[in-house]
Amino acid sequence: SYKQVLETFGLDNGYYYLIKTPIDSIKETAALSTVFLLYVLIFLLPFSIMIIIVMVDRITQPLTKLTTVSKKISNLDFSEQCSLEGSTEIVELGKNFNKMSNDLESTIGQLKTANVKLQQDLDKKEQIEEMRKEFLSSVSHELKTPIAIISGYAESLKDSVDDPEDIEFFADTIYEETQKLSK
C-alpha cells in the first residue's frame, strides 16, 4: 500500500514525492467539515423546504383553478371564469378555457333557441296535419251524403218510375244535390 502511494506520486525520472502530514490535523479538518455541513443542513433545510412549498403552491394553484373551471364546463356550467395573471403557458391555457367557455355558452344558447323554434314548427305541423285530417273527414262526409242521395234517386229513375211528378221530383233533387256539391 505504501509502494502504491509512492508510485502514484512518482516522477518520470525515478524520484518520488513523499508527503508527510500529521493525522490529527486531518481528523480535525474532517470534524470541522462535518460540523459545518451539519449547521448548513440544520439552517438551510427548513429554508429550502419553505421555498419548495411556496414554489409548488405557485405552480399548483393555477392548475387547481383550471381543474375547477374545467369540471364546471364539463357540467355545462359556464358561470366561472379563470382569472389568472402573468404570461405563462398556464395563464394562456386559462384564457383559452375562458374563450372556450364563452363560445360554448353562446353556441348552446343558439342551439336552445333553434330547438325551441324547431319544436314550435313541429307543433304547428302537427296542428296543420290534424286540421287536414279533420277537413278531409268533413269533406268526405259532405260528399258521401249527396252522392248517396243522387245515386239513390238515379237508381230509382233507372228502375222506371212512371209517374211524371216522381220523375220531376227525383230530377229536381238530383239537381239540388249536384249544386250543393259544386258549392
Side-chain angles (χ1 to χ4, degrees), residues 38-53:
L38 187 61
Y39 284 137
V40 167
L41 184 67
I42 288 172
F43 290 112
L44 287 183
L45 187 64
F47 182 70
S48 299
I49 289 173
M50 286 176 27
I51 288 175
I52 289 171
I53 289 172

Side-chain angles (χ1 to χ4, degrees), residues 101-116:
S101 175
N102 293 335
D103 290 348
L104 280 172
E105 184 175 26
S106 172
T107 303
I108 288 174
Q110 290 171 355
L111 285 173
K112 284 181 180 178
T113 302
N115 195 21
V116 167

Side-chain angles (χ1 to χ4, degrees), residues 1-8 16:
S1 147
Y2 179 71
K3 184 167 176 127
Q4 286 177 337
V5 172
L6 288 179
E7 286 178 5
T8 305
Y16 292 98

Side-chain angles (χ1 to χ4, degrees), residues 97 99 124 126 131 158 166 169-170 174 176 179:
F97 264 99
K99 184 179 182 325
K124 190 173 183 179
E126 285 179 16
M131 288 171 53
K158 190 176 167 186
D166 284 343
F169 173 74
F170 290 155
I174 290 172
E176 286 173 14
Q179 290 302 311

Side-chain angles (χ1 to χ4, degrees), residues 79-181:
S79 62
E80 192 161 342
Q81 298 281 312
C82 284
S83 56
L84 304 172
E85 296 177 10
S87 62
T88 64
E89 289 83 7
I90 294 174
V91 173
E92 189 66 29
L93 183 63
K95 289 177 183 177
N96 290 338
F97 264 99
N98 291 341
K99 184 179 182 325
M100 179 180 62
S101 175
N102 293 335
D103 290 348
L104 280 172
E105 184 175 26
S106 172
T107 303
I108 288 174
Q110 290 171 355
L111 285 173
K112 284 181 180 178
T113 302
N115 195 21
V116 167
K117 185 172 180 350
L118 182 63
Q119 187 61 48
Q120 290 171 346
D121 290 348
L122 287 173
D123 292 344
K124 190 173 183 179
K125 183 179 177 183
E126 285 179 16
Q127 184 181 13
I128 290 171
E129 182 64 23
E130 193 61 38
M131 288 171 53
R132 184 187 70 79
K133 285 179 182 178
E134 287 178 23
F135 175 74
L136 287 176
S137 175
S138 296
V139 167
S140 175
H141 176 70
E142 291 297 322
L143 287 174
K144 282 182 183 179
T145 302
I147 288 175
I149 292 171
I150 291 170
S151 176
Y153 285 129
E155 194 175 317
S156 295
L157 280 174
K158 190 176 167 186
D159 286 343
S160 338
V161 173
D162 293 333
D163 187 11
E165 283 182 18
D166 284 343
I167 292 173
E168 188 177 331
F169 173 74
F170 290 155
D172 285 343
T173 303
I174 290 172
Y175 179 74
E176 286 173 14
E177 292 300 322
T178 58
Q179 290 302 311
K180 285 181 188 177
L181 285 173

